[in-house]
Amino acid sequence: MTALLDIAELSKRFPIGTATGPLGRLRKRFKGGPDHLPHVFAVDDVNFTIQKGETVGLVGESGCGKSTLVRVLTRLLDPTEGSVKLGARELSLMSAARFARDPDRARIQMVFQDAGESINPRFTAFEAIADPLRRLKKLRGDALKAKVEQAATRCGLPLELLSRFPHQLSGGQRARVGIARAVGVEPELLVLDEPTAALDVSVQVVILQLLQRLKVELGMSYVFVSHDLSVVRLLCDRVLVMYLGKIVEAGPAREVFDNPLHPYTKALVSAVPSIETRGVAKLRLQGEPRSPIDPDPNVCRFYGRCQVGVDACKTSMPPLRKVGTDREVACHFAQASA
Amino acid sequence: MESPALDVDNLSVEFRTRSGVVRALENVSFSVAKGETLAIVGESGSGKSVTAYAVMGILDPAGRVSAGSAMLGGLDLLKASADQLDNVRGREIGMIFQNPRTALNPIRPIGRQIADVLIRHGNIPRSEAPERAIDLIRSVGITDPKRRAKAYPFELSGGMCQRVMIAIALAARPTLLIADEPTTGLDVTTQAVIMDLIGDLASEIGMATIFITHDLALAAQRAARIVVMHAGHVIENAPTRELFEQPRHPYTKMLIAATPDRVANLDELISIPGALPDLRRQNLPPCRYSERCTRKLMDCDQPLPHVINGSAHGVACRNPLS
């Protein structure tokens, strides 16, 4: 069975500074060309697949490359290296600008973090939902109207709100517009970047349950990016833990959170506040993460903050390896426990 | 009984807006004992931050304290003169704001910003302030404090900026710390470290802490006592364990049921029907939750029994859960 999305050896590096202009020319003369520009390794050699109907959680601290990774896999950014395969089609060779007009654009859609910020303030809710339908499905007139209303109803947005502008809607209603806009074109893969981060708990519940229902109704796969591990645990089948551009742990969500193997995942799970664990001694991460600029390929990214951290960790980077039946971890010392 | 560090009694705040008067707080009462950590929780718009701002005397000009008192020692903060408040803020009460990047001065090195507080409130000679500022930077766990003292806020990560805010708030060893969502926007791993730091420093100098958050699980973990707010009312005030084991207000119970923490399945989470009422309305019911409430009685149109200070488990409800 082929996966819906297959990411292989994917990297995204951003150069720091400039190769053109007077500064760039000086640098070129003295240091020998733009090859010597330092790079931020935002996403570094990442491999994973997403099956049809699966919900994959992506967690990690800010600056770990989560957002860059989802922007590359939704083809809003061009990868530096590697492949992004949607079904049998290779997408990484096409530029992001060309993919925007490609028929397959409708198959991968995205829901952005703060719906208040990501909806054009001059568009009514109707216009916001209609825009991708016009561009990607070439719908006009009554067909368009019917489709917009269908998407709104699916997302629990009352039709009388369609004529309102974003500032006239509540946070929960805006979140619904953001979701309706993405699911209107009936994508196979929906990427959700912290869809509930700006919402109160009472509204968050409704939106999460809506997402769960839509997934089944429309047979979509989800990539769910979140800070909130208690939400990821409830919504996701599988979870990927990222640290400084690398996936350091992957596996079934419940197993990863109940029994984390990588020292970073352990610290992450232990830092989640819970009503139950009052007063329990916790594992704390000390210090700051290593620099993502031209990192030494032979040092574990987590070295320096890691509780284990022995000499082997500064001489070879641990690859992501299989542990047990369905879990992967990038640490020299992680072992499957009974 | 020892007198509390801060005693807020019957505080009401109004905002005058073009579309009418917003009755943002009504009869808010709570007190925090010396060395105690109190959490104020509620959804956005419930009046958590307005309470803190009113106590600190930093309300928006449109806001007006219409009734109540906030006693800090022998001083009523709500009636104090500007000079009196200047001597209290920073010296007796430290405050940590939600977004450290906007709360810090962007064009002044952090060491200088900490030294400013020490010179104003710390009773130390001007010449010693930079040295002491470096000690404070070290005490909040920033490595290489000498070099960092010269850094500007934009050169530091969010977690580091929050540490600097804590150093500023605690520079004059205040008796009360108000932390308004101190870790919102930080990673969970950083959040845990920052909350540990606040807790350790508070117990070291015997400081009372008021900790404002929307995260029920975080409040549960860090506070001894929790005040729950809804639409400008304190609706429940109870010791943490008791609040979670036996919530008495229907809204508190719903809030706990909506927190994705203890459940095993998404379907077990329960959402709270309805939304906060518009606080500009003239015909607001006495209980501002009654329009969302499933336990509403005829009695609920009678004046609300507000949570007052002194009871071990206060609840503002005519039909509380037992």
Side-chain angles (χ1 to χ4, degrees):
Chain A
M1 182 182 141
T2 53
L4 174 64
L5 190 80
D6 189 350
I7 302 287
E9 293 164 19
L10 189 74
S11 296
K12 178 69 188 173
R13 298 187 283 271
F14 295 100
I16 301 175
T18 163
T20 54
L23 269 181
R25 280 200 294 277
L26 275 176
R27 190 182 284 122
K28 206 165 195 164
R29 182 184 298 169
F30 292 109
K31 289 191 169 169
D35 297 349
H36 287 82
L37 279 180
H39 280 75
V40 173
F41 283 54
V43 174
D44 193 11
D45 192 15
V46 162
N47 300 280
F48 65 93
T49 58
I50 297 169
Q51 304 297 333
K52 197 161 166 40
E54 195 180 28
T55 302
V56 176
L58 185 59
V59 299
E61 58 192 0
S62 36
C64 75
K66 301 190 294 283
S67 294
T68 306
L69 176 58
V70 299
R71 282 182 162 76
V72 173
L73 73 84
T74 47
R75 298 299 291 109
L76 298 173
L77 277 178
D78 291 323
T80 311
E81 280 168 6
S83 90
V84 179
K85 267 168 103 173
L86 180 68
R89 187 158 176 230
E90 175 63 57
L91 299 181
S92 61
L93 302 173
M94 194 188 306
S95 77
R98 257 190 60 207
F99 186 65
R101 290 187 300 275
D102 192 272
D104 274 351
R105 169 76 280 175
R107 295 172 68 192
I108 310 178
Q109 288 292 310
M110 191 156 173
V111 175
F112 295 92
Q113 185 159 353
D114 184 351
E117 302 280 314
S118 59
I119 300 172
N120 189 333
R122 287 163 164 272
F123 278 10
T124 59
F126 182 92
E127 287 298 319
I129 302 169
D131 196 42
L133 287 167
R134 267 197 206 109
R135 286 168 192 271
L136 299 171
K137 298 282 178 190
K138 313 291 179 208
L139 294 180
R140 299 287 183 272
D142 285 345
L144 178 69
K145 187 159 179 281
K147 203 79 188 162
V148 170
E149 286 177 355
Q150 184 196 17
T153 312
R154 252 187 200 142
C155 297
L157 189 72
L159 296 184
E160 60 269 23
L161 297 182
L162 283 176
S163 58
R164 294 211 189 161
F165 289 96
H167 73 269
Q168 296 167 315
L169 298 170
S170 72
Q173 289 163 347
R174 281 203 288 257
R176 288 178 199 272
V177 174
I179 295 166
R181 174 173 67 170
V183 301
V185 293
E186 290 170 1
E188 289 161 61
L189 177 67
L190 189 61
V191 177
L192 301 131
D193 190 359
E194 308 235 15
T196 60
L199 303 175
D200 278 315
V201 278
S202 58
V203 187
Q204 167 174 291
V205 175
V206 189
I207 298 295
L208 291 176
Q209 286 169 346
L210 167 72
L211 288 171
Q212 184 83 305
R213 182 169 58 78
L214 284 176
K215 191 186 115 174
V216 180
E217 270 179 30
L218 303 174
M220 293 183 285
S221 305
Y222 283 170
V223 175
F224 187 82
V225 182
S226 183
H227 269 107
D228 192 340
L229 298 196
S230 35
V231 171
V232 172
R233 183 178 63 95
L234 291 179
L235 201 69
C236 299
D237 306 317
R238 215 148 55 83
V239 64
L240 309 170
V241 183
M242 265 185 103
Y243 188 82
L244 277 186
K246 287 258 182 210
I247 289 177
V248 294
E249 182 157 4
R254 303 268 156 125
E255 282 182 42
V256 170
F257 292 139
D258 292 344
N259 175 28
L261 297 176
H262 194 278
Y264 173 68
T265 321
K266 285 182 185 163
L268 195 66
V269 170
S270 142
V272 178
S274 158
I275 296 168
E276 303 290 333
T277 58
R278 190 174 154 77
V280 178
K282 293 295 189 86
L283 195 60
R284 291 288 179 260
L285 276 187
Q286 297 302 327
E288 296 283 308
R290 302 176 72 83
S291 165
I293 302 165
D294 288 344
D296 188 330
N298 294 320
V299 182
C300 175
R301 294 286 161 91
F302 196 50
Y303 183 73
R305 290 179 101 185
C306 184
Q307 307 261 338
V308 187
V310 298
D311 282 350
C313 304
K314 359 176 230 190
T315 52
S316 69
M317 160 105 77
L320 196 63
R321 62 188 166 88
K322 226 174 161 74
V323 174
T325 47
D326 47 6
R327 299 188 56 180
E328 290 172 284
V329 60
C331 176
H332 293 305
F333 301 98
Q335 281 168 359
S337 54
Chain B
M1 197 183 112
E2 210 183 353
S3 69
L6 178 76
D7 190 8
V8 175
D9 197 33
N10 261 325
L11 172 65
S12 297
V13 170
E14 294 174 352
F15 286 88
R16 274 158 301 173
T17 68
R18 256 181 273 177
S19 51
V21 174
V22 178
R23 285 174 283 160
L25 295 183
E26 207 173 69
N27 301 83
V28 166
S29 303
F30 62 89
S31 70
V32 53
K34 291 191 174 106
E36 187 190 38
T37 300
L38 175 88
I40 302 182
V41 303
E43 296 182 84
S44 37
S46 61
K48 310 181 296 281
S49 294
V50 172
T51 307
Y53 287 7
V55 168
M56 287 294 274
I58 50 174
L59 276 180
D60 188 88
R64 189 175 69 89
V65 174
S66 53
S69 66
M71 302 300 291
L72 181 88
L75 179 73
D76 184 352
L77 295 172
L78 304 181
K79 298 196 173 65
S81 68
D83 280 355
Q84 280 174 318
L85 277 179
D86 280 350
N87 284 324
V88 168
R89 288 191 291 237
R91 186 174 303 175
E92 301 286 330
I93 312 179
M95 183 148 179
I96 301 172
F97 292 91
Q98 179 166 353
N99 190 339
R101 278 187 200 285
T102 51
L104 291 171
N105 185 339
I107 55 163
R108 212 162 156 73
I110 57 157
R112 298 275 293 276
Q113 297 191 46
I114 299 173
D116 289 344
V117 182
L118 288 168
I119 292 164
R120 178 70 177 78
H121 294 298
N123 293 327
I124 60 162
R126 193 167 276 268
S127 56
E128 283 175 28
E131 228 12 76
R132 285 288 312 281
I134 290 171
D135 291 344
L136 278 167
I137 295 172
R138 188 179 294 118
S139 74
V140 291
I142 296 179
T143 50
D144 198 0
K146 263 211 167 74
R147 189 168 62 84
R148 299 287 193 187
K150 298 195 189 85
Y152 291 89
F154 77 90
E155 295 175 282
L156 304 175
S157 66
M160 291 264 235
C161 285
Q162 200 52 283
R163 285 168 197 260
V164 173
M165 282 287 293
I166 293 170
I168 289 176
L170 301 184
R173 301 177 88 82
T175 51
L176 173 68
L177 175 73
I178 301 178
D180 185 3
E181 306 252 8
T183 56
T184 306
L186 300 182
D187 292 308
V188 278
T189 47
T190 316
Q191 165 173 289
V193 176
I194 294 285
M195 291 308 300
D196 284 354
L197 180 67
I198 294 175
D200 291 348
L201 293 172
S203 59
E204 194 187 308
I205 59 180
M207 181 177 64
T209 311
I210 296 176
F211 164 53
I212 296 171
T213 181
H214 65 273
D215 186 342
L216 216 52
L218 189 62
Q221 208 168 45
R222 304 290 172 169
R225 211 177 166 79
I226 297 183
V227 167
V228 185
M229 291 190 71
H230 176 266
H233 286 164
V234 170
I235 53 129
E236 191 158 4
N237 179 346
T240 303
R241 184 172 289 275
E242 213 175 301
L243 187 88
F244 286 102
E245 282 168 7
Q246 283 187 310
R248 299 203 61 206
H249 197 287
Y251 176 70
T252 312
K253 193 174 178 216
M254 295 298 263
L255 210 53
I256 295 171
T259 303
D261 174 35
R262 294 200 271 195
V263 299
N265 196 314
L266 195 59
D267 302 327
E268 291 171 36
L269 286 178
I270 296 160
S271 65
I272 307 178
L276 291 184
D278 184 345
L279 301 184
R280 288 169 300 196
R281 269 166 49 188
Q282 292 299 314
N283 61 344
L284 272 180
C287 170
R288 293 176 177 183
Y289 184 65
S290 63
E291 287 166 359
R292 305 168 78 179
C293 189
T294 50
R295 295 171 56 86
K296 193 179 177 217
L297 302 175
M298 293 293 283
D299 260 12
C300 291
D301 295 331
Q302 301 296 312
L304 187 71
H306 285 287
V307 175
I308 52 164
N309 287 333
S311 65
H313 189 154
V315 58
C317 183
R318 291 202 164 264
N319 185 19
L321 305 150
S322 52

